[in-house]
């Protein structure tokens, strides 16, 4: 056994195997980080698209009259029109995601909730 440890060729093979293992592990680490980052970017894009959709519905409610205002199929809009006041409660899956109140042509309340699990509304 002492003869094997003193052999320089055996040490070179062990060093090469260890170096290949370390390079392989760094490659796996880098691949994992890239995959996680890509997934996070996709989630952020989905959330941003949902927020933009909800905000656009609110803007349409403020600027359109009640005859032209429509919402997407996945949302439920509860509207109330008085003389100079109008309110919008936008729901998705029975959870309030947007509440808008307009008085005399000015927005007095704009409450947005991006947490669809919020049961309080």
């Amino acid at each position: 056994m002492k003869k094997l440890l003193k052999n320089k060729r055996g040490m070179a093979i062990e060093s090469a195997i260890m170096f290949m293992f370390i390079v392989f592990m760094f490659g796996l680490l880098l691949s994992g980080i890239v995959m996680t980052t890509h997934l996070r970017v996709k989630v952020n894009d989905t959330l941003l698209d949902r927020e933009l959709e909800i905000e656009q519905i609110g803007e349409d409610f403020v600027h359109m009259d009640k005859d032209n205002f429509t919402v997407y199929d996945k949302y439920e809009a509860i509207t109330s029109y008085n003389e100079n006041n109008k309110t919008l409660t936008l729901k998705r899956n029975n959870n309030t995601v947007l509440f808008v109140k307009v008085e005399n042509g000015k927005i007095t309340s704009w409450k947005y909730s991006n947490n669809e699990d919020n049961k309080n509304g």
Side-chain angles (χ1 to χ4, degrees):
M1 183 140 159
K2 286 186 178 184
K3 190 174 185 182
L4 182 63
L5 291 177
K6 290 183 179 182
N7 188 352
K8 293 187 183 213
R9 187 183 307 169
M11 287 299 292
I13 291 174
E14 289 175 1
S15 296
I17 291 172
M18 185 58 78
F19 179 72
M20 287 172 40
F21 178 73
I22 290 171
V23 169
F24 178 72
M25 293 307 284
F26 279 134
L28 282 178
L29 178 67
L30 185 61
S31 296
I33 290 171
V34 168
M35 288 172 48
T36 304
T37 304
H38 177 69
L39 178 64
R40 190 65 208 161
V41 166
K42 285 179 68 174
V43 168
N44 286 342
D45 284 346
T46 303
L47 291 175
L48 183 63
D49 288 343
R50 182 182 303 154
E51 290 174 7
L52 287 174
E53 189 175 74
I54 292 170
E55 293 288 330
Q56 187 62 49
I57 292 171
E59 288 179 18
D60 289 346
F61 173 76
V62 170
H63 295 293
M64 291 184 178
D65 58 353
K66 64 181 175 181
D67 296 329
N68 295 333
F69 176 69
T70 58
V71 296
Y72 303 109
D73 292 337
K74 57 186 168 184
Y75 296 101
E76 175 189 357
I78 301 169
T79 57
S80 170
Y81 296 93
N82 294 332
E83 292 177 12
N84 292 326
N85 303 332
K86 57 184 180 178
T87 60
L88 165 71
T89 304
L90 189 66
K91 294 187 174 193
R92 181 176 181 180
N93 299 331
N94 294 327
N95 299 320
T96 302
V97 292
L98 180 67
F99 176 78
V100 178
K101 186 173 185 180
V102 180
E103 294 178 355
N104 297 324
K106 295 187 180 186
I107 301 170
T108 58
S109 178
W110 186 286
K111 296 178 183 175
Y112 175 74
S113 172
N114 60 357
N115 183 3
E116 293 187 8
D117 296 330
N118 186 4
K119 300 296 181 190
N120 297 331

